[in-house]
Amino acid sequence: MGIINFIIDNILTQASITIALIAMLGLLLQKKSAGQVISGSLKTLLGFQVLSAGSSIIVGSLTYFGEIFTEGFDMQGIIPSIEAINGQAMNELGLGRDIALTFLAIFVFNILLARFTKWKYIFLTGQAILWMATMTTVFGYFAGLRGVVLILVGGLIGAIFAVAMPAMAQPIIRKVTGSDDIALGHFCTIGYLFEAGVAYLFGERGEKKKSIEDIKLPRSFEFLQDTYLSVMVVMVPLYIVTVLFAGETFASTLSGDQNYIMYAFLQAIQFVVGVYVLLAGVRLLLGEIVPAFRGIAMKLVPDAKPALDCPVFFPYSPNAVILGFITTTIGTVIAMFVLPVFGLAMILPGMLTNFFAGGTAGIFGNAVGGRRGAIIGGIFHGFFITLLPALLVTIFNQMGFVNATATDVDTVTAALLYAWIISPLLKNF
């Protein structure tokens, strides 16, 4: 068990190591030279680490923004956190071993399903699989499952999500990337497809469809066609207005000796820096992982496609990412006030989810319904990804997780599947 925990904690949950080892395997299967194997593996590792560094910069900036946003608009409610649920499940329920083995089972079942079904997707976002393993283990435990059965059922359900979600998203991913080489491996995919559906109903179609990426600007504003400058023009006012609402007294506790408005300005710039680093990492990663993965596709799982984390797709539609972030945030704020009217918990907007999931959803909405589809779909998406965690709060309260819920709508859907279908069926037997 110690060896398994070491592998999971130090390799499988370390996405950069996992992807580098997979790239190495692919190159070895193609019988590349030692130099090519070492070069390709290290560049893959470097590319993912650069991508992760960009994500970390963005996370730091958005964490600050979330604090001033909550203070500035006087919000009180539940902040979704799968990390807190994972910690409580391992420490108070003693499910650490089961979560680890379920995590491993999802990987194994994923490869088997990809090998023997038409869903040829290998899910490579290790952290997302860990959260899925947490959810299936916790809800399987409260459904009455124990031991090997708990692990195998959770592993199978998690693996089905790991191949089904990329498969369902792939038609739109092909439209976005213009190829079929990579897939989306992120457990917020149901939300992305929801936005795509709304965009299809209310967006533009045919010749009338106008992509947000093709927006025409006056000559004096052509500098905004630069991705990073356009992001800066949006984020700087957003941060400064929000910090003004938060007020100097609170904001100064975050900025220290620096002027609180200047600190907010620099945090907005830091966000843009994070986007720049992230996109540089994506370019380096894709240049190595796609050719290397062909070895696995040819030898182990014919026609396999790597399902990669959502930031990999940001360079394909950067304006849609920012639009998706803004519209999803609007939708989460609306839901925050509307859902308690119907007796549901007040779920506070999570800025990290709004950016990464909202940005990816914006790509889907723009691809299907153009600008109008991305705008309307984004607002609906924000409402949707707030509704599902709100539905989960009551169930978690009954299980002893007080005022707790999770993000990532695919993992929430898996939890609701246990609560509404699997658990009642088991009680009848």
Side-chain angles (χ1 to χ4, degrees):
M1 189 62 205
I3 295 175
I4 293 175
N5 280 331
F6 177 84
I7 292 172
I8 290 173
D9 293 339
N10 296 281
I11 298 177
L12 294 181
T13 54
Q14 302 300 316
S16 59
I17 301 295
T18 301
I19 289 180
L21 290 174
I22 288 172
M24 178 185 292
L25 176 61
L27 293 167
L28 288 171
L29 289 172
Q30 294 179 71
K31 298 181 179 179
K32 299 290 186 180
S33 67
Q36 289 174 312
V37 171
I38 294 171
S39 173
S41 303
L42 292 180
K43 282 186 177 179
T44 300
L45 176 64
L46 179 61
F48 199 92
Q49 288 289 65
V50 172
L51 185 157
S52 298
S55 294
S56 297
I57 295 171
I58 292 171
V59 166
S61 176
L62 286 178
T63 299
Y64 164 79
F65 182 72
E67 292 179 4
I68 60 173
F69 186 88
T70 301
E71 174 69 20
F73 299 101
D74 193 25
M75 295 180 178
Q76 295 181 347
I78 299 171
I79 300 174
S81 173
I82 185 68
E83 293 88 349
I85 295 166
N86 178 266
Q88 189 171 343
M90 290 195 295
N91 298 326
E92 296 183 18
L93 299 178
L95 293 176
R97 180 182 70 90
D98 299 287
I99 291 173
L101 291 175
T102 300
F103 179 97
L104 192 60
I106 291 175
F107 262 111
V108 173
F109 279 125
N110 181 185
I111 294 171
L112 291 173
L113 288 173
R115 178 66 179 85
F116 296 107
T117 71
K118 63 180 181 180
W119 292 338
K120 305 296 182 181
Y121 300 95
I122 308 296
F123 199 99
L124 296 179
T125 309
Q127 197 76 357
I129 293 179
L130 176 61
W131 302 145
M132 179 63 77
T134 298
M135 204 66 86
T136 57
T137 302
V138 168
F139 276 81
Y141 178 84
F142 281 96
L145 302 178
R146 296 292 186 273
V148 175
V149 176
L150 172 66
I151 293 162
L152 292 180
V153 171
L156 181 59
I157 290 176
I160 290 172
F161 273 89
V163 294
M165 293 301 104
M168 294 169 67
Q170 195 61 11
I172 298 175
I173 290 296
R174 278 196 297 267
K175 184 182 295 187
V176 170
T177 63
S179 73
D180 203 28
D181 292 332
I182 57 174
L184 173 64
H186 195 222
F187 281 141
C188 295
T189 303
I190 291 174
Y192 306 151
L193 296 173
F194 178 81
E195 167 151 349
V198 173
Y200 179 80
L201 291 175
F202 298 102
E204 304 151 338
R205 300 185 196 175
E207 295 181 358
K208 293 182 179 180
K209 188 169 75 172
K210 298 178 181 178
S211 171
I212 189 65
E213 307 303 327
D214 298 330
I215 189 168
K216 299 294 183 183
L217 297 171
R219 184 178 297 274
S220 57
F221 290 98
E222 284 183 348
F223 69 94
L224 292 176
Q225 291 178 343
D226 181 287
T227 298
Y228 308 108
L229 291 178
S230 63
V231 172
M232 192 183 302
V233 167
V234 171
M235 300 309 291
V236 168
L238 191 61
Y239 272 63
I240 291 178
V241 169
T242 303
V243 81
L244 290 174
F245 272 96
E248 182 175 1
T249 302
F250 175 81
S252 294
T253 63
L254 302 176
S255 62
D257 296 333
Q258 192 169 15
N259 177 270
Y260 74 105
I261 297 177
M262 181 57 66
Y263 186 81
F265 171 78
L266 292 176
Q267 284 296 313
I269 301 301
Q270 192 78 348
F271 178 93
V272 182
V273 171
V275 172
Y276 180 89
V277 175
L278 183 149
L279 297 185
V282 168
R283 286 189 289 269
L284 182 57
L285 174 65
L286 288 183
E288 300 299 328
I289 189 63
V290 173
F293 205 83
R294 291 197 184 102
I296 294 175
M298 289 187 295
K299 299 288 185 180
L300 299 181
V301 183
D303 301 319
K305 296 178 181 63
L308 304 173
D309 204 355
C310 62
V312 169
F313 301 90
F314 288 2
Y316 294 99
S317 195
N319 291 343
V321 171
I322 301 304
L323 181 63
F325 168 50
I326 294 171
T327 54
T328 293
T329 299
I330 292 171
T332 57
V333 171
I334 293 172
M336 181 186 68
F337 291 112
V338 171
L339 294 179
V341 175
F342 295 94
L344 295 172
M346 176 179 282
I347 306 297
L348 298 183
M351 291 303 158
L352 298 180
T353 301
N354 287 355
F355 177 70
F356 289 104
T360 311
I363 295 174
F364 275 61
N366 183 63
V368 173
R371 302 172 198 170
R372 190 170 72 213
I375 293 170
I376 299 173
I379 295 172
F380 274 88
H381 174 256
F383 195 98
F384 180 73
I385 66 171
T386 307
L387 171 62
L388 290 190
L391 293 173
L392 202 58
V393 170
T394 304
I395 300 171
F396 265 128
N397 285 341
Q398 295 170 353
M399 293 163 55
F401 294 80
V402 180
N403 289 334
T405 190
T407 53
D408 294 3
V409 293
D410 296 356
T411 61
V412 174
T413 301
L416 295 176
L417 176 67
Y418 271 92
W420 291 347
I421 299 177
I422 296 176
S423 183
L425 286 175
L426 289 174
K427 288 178 181 178
N428 289 330
F429 292 98

